[in-house]
Amino acid sequence: MTQQGVRWTADQVLALAPDAASRKAGSKLGAAGPWSEAGSSDEGAVWGLCKGSGSKPYQTVVDVADASGPAYKCSCPSRKFPCKHALGLLLLWAGGDAAMPPGQPPAWAGEWLAGRRKRAGEKRPAGAGGSSPGSGDPEAARRRAERRAERITAGATELEHRLTDLLRGGLATAEQAGYGLWEETAARMVDAQAPGLAARVRELGAIPSSGPGWPMRLLEECALLHLLDQGWLRRERLPDGLAATVRSRIGLPGAADGPPLRDRWLVLAQYDTADAKLTTRRIWLHGADSGRTALLLSYGAAGRAPELALPVGLTLEAEVSAYPGAGQPRAALGEQFAPPAPTALRPPGVTATEAAARYGEALRDDPWLDSVPVTLDRVIPVADGDSWQLADADKDTALPLTPTARTRPGLWRLVALSGGGPVKVFGECGHRGFTPLTAWPEGAGEAVPLC
């Protein structure tokens, strides 16, 4: 499949930026001024030399035709992917053939492209059939799983005792004890090989003295943690789907063993969250034919963006396989049959009332669920005192935005796109409100990333 003539928008390019600083720096390099010998090929490659602070320009090449998203190579020392030079080159390419004429890549770019595509071709047949990576002695694997389950059970039992002590002593003791109590408990859960429990325990430590109503919030989170503990300790009595959800929430790894589903997947949103050790990328997809919404997760070490990148608003013909768990949207990306391509496809939308009901229904399968993916149809961003909400244009209902969404620059992009009129918005709807991630104007128009 050729890529010549298939252009992304500037918003789709900038959605690939690993952070705001890269987005700003890349935008400055999106003009022809700093570039020389720039070009593109029918096979979906773009390249160019970018003038830097030294005497030698940076060699930058991007493989746009990679089915898993664009791949980058730049001679600059940046550890960000994509770097500002790759973003600037893609912005230049998005502008048209005038600054990016068609041709054959120079030797330095051609060698990298040939090597990359050769490796991709070698990997493809290796994944078809045969034993999966990491497969070994089944009996040894079973014994390891049993030992880990025993450790988790011991950790969950200890956590139950600590929650009981907290409730007996009164919630006020949590404020007096400080964060150290919860950090120590979280460390015990790490020792028990239950990272999911450890993460939820650490969240408890931030609730005391966090503002009006913190005792109620602490009690609610303790109840959910107790429910997860009891779910693990009684997992043999649970339905298979709910038991799989409990294992996932505890932190046990699972394989994407669902049957492959081939579809034309619209990239709804892509955004990163980071902590001191890991960057997590979330990519939401909508199946044009199946109507299913799927979540892809990919990871990168601290300070490095994950490799998987899919520009928002494009479609990808591919297979995905679901992870176990009742109502879980997470899936693994399988075989890709074509690179991401522009589309006029939009997901169907619902009202604010229907979105809230959808979240309530999802809690039956997963009580620990923070939010569900939802597309709102014909909503208008409206200020509500110090807050904002998305109001139905045709009904007297609205969803409040989450506190996080109210502090993001994407809110003002949404307000500007709306201009007081209705828009279609995809985002995550949960007990804290709605977080908008992507929007489409009424009528024709490209997807606008908001995160």
Side-chain angles (χ1 to χ4, degrees):
M1 176 179 178
T2 63
Q3 290 294 303
Q4 192 66 27
V6 176
R7 302 287 175 174
W8 301 349
T9 66
D11 281 336
Q12 289 166 343
V13 171
L14 292 175
L16 300 173
D19 52 40
S22 298
R23 190 177 298 114
K24 182 177 180 180
S27 298
K28 294 179 179 179
L29 296 176
W35 293 95
S36 61
E37 300 182 28
S40 61
S41 73
D42 288 345
E43 290 75 30
V46 293
W47 60 84
L49 301 176
C50 186
K51 184 179 180 181
S53 56
S55 58
K56 192 174 182 180
Y58 295 121
Q59 298 175 336
T60 309
V61 56
V62 181
D63 186 1
V64 185
D66 190 287
S68 298
Y72 321 95
K73 174 68 173 178
C74 185
S75 60
C76 76
S78 174
R79 298 183 64 186
K80 297 180 179 180
F81 295 94
C83 66
K84 63 181 181 180
H85 306 103
L87 289 170
L89 183 66
L90 286 173
L91 288 171
L92 192 67
W93 170 71
D97 286 336
M100 190 75 66
Q104 292 299 314
W108 57 268
E111 290 175 4
W112 177 78
L113 290 165
R116 176 175 178 80
R117 291 173 182 176
K118 180 181 179 181
R119 290 191 296 272
E122 291 172 348
K123 288 180 181 178
R124 204 165 290 124
S131 60
S132 61
S135 63
D137 182 1
E139 181 61 23
R142 183 188 64 79
R143 290 195 298 269
R144 286 195 298 270
E146 287 181 351
R147 288 195 295 269
R148 182 171 185 180
E150 291 172 357
R151 294 191 187 99
I152 294 174
T153 297
T157 302
E158 179 181 348
L159 182 55
E160 284 292 279
H161 293 323
R162 297 206 175 196
L163 291 175
T164 299
D165 291 343
L166 172 64
L167 294 178
R168 282 177 177 166
L171 296 181
T173 60
E175 187 175 22
Q176 298 165 3
Y179 190 77
L181 168 67
W182 302 109
E183 186 58 37
E184 177 194 350
T185 305
R188 298 282 289 176
M189 297 304 104
V190 171
D191 292 341
Q193 294 185 285
L197 289 179
R200 298 192 78 92
V201 168
R202 287 194 178 97
E203 291 176 2
L204 291 181
I207 297 177
S209 304
S210 61
W214 72 260
M216 180 61 69
R217 293 195 297 276
L218 180 61
L219 184 61
E220 290 172 349
E221 291 302 319
C222 285
L224 286 173
L225 193 52
H226 168 69
L227 184 64
L228 185 55
D229 271 345
Q230 291 299 313
W232 172 261
L233 296 174
R234 292 169 169 77
R235 61 192 180 282
E236 304 298 337
R237 309 178 196 174
L238 299 178
D240 291 344
L242 184 56
T245 298
V246 168
R247 287 193 292 270
S248 174
R249 292 296 182 183
I250 288 287
L252 285 174
D257 55 4
L261 175 62
R262 181 171 176 172
D263 208 334
R264 293 176 298 122
W265 297 98
L266 171 65
V267 184
L268 292 172
Q270 172 181 291
Y271 67 97
D272 295 348
T273 56
D275 57 29
K277 297 181 179 180
L278 195 68
T279 298
T280 302
R281 174 164 293 165
R282 290 170 171 81
I283 301 176
W284 285 107
L285 305 176
H286 167 74
D289 302 319
S290 65
R292 178 182 163 184
T293 302
L295 173 64
L296 306 180
L297 295 181
S298 59
Y299 304 94
R304 295 179 67 89
E307 287 189 7
L308 182 61
L310 297 175
V312 174
L314 303 188
T315 54
L316 173 69
E317 186 175 356
E319 291 179 342
V320 302
S321 298
Y323 280 82
Q328 297 299 305
R330 188 184 174 190
L333 183 63
E335 184 177 358
Q336 299 109 52
F337 304 97
T343 180
L345 178 68
R346 297 183 179 191
V350 299
T351 65
T353 300
E354 292 168 334
R358 186 171 294 182
Y359 175 59
E361 293 168 0
L363 288 175
R364 293 182 301 183
D365 292 328
D366 185 353
W368 308 277
L369 191 65
D370 287 328
S371 60
V372 294
V374 172
T375 301
L376 298 176
D377 216 2
R378 291 183 53 77
V379 291
I380 303 171
V382 178
D384 181 23
D386 294 333
S387 303
W388 283 82
Q389 60 185 7
L390 293 179
D392 282 314
D394 307 312
K395 298 180 180 293
D396 189 20
T397 54
L399 283 175
L401 296 190
T402 60
T404 301
R406 298 198 297 265
T407 62
R408 291 178 176 172
L411 170 61
W412 302 110
R413 299 186 75 187
L414 177 59
V415 172
L417 180 68
S418 165
V423 292
K424 181 187 288 282
V425 182
F426 170 78
E428 297 169 347
C429 180
H431 62 279
R432 296 183 181 89
F434 187 87
T435 301
L437 301 175
T438 305
W440 295 262
E442 281 278 278
E446 302 285 349
V448 178
L450 305 175
C451 53

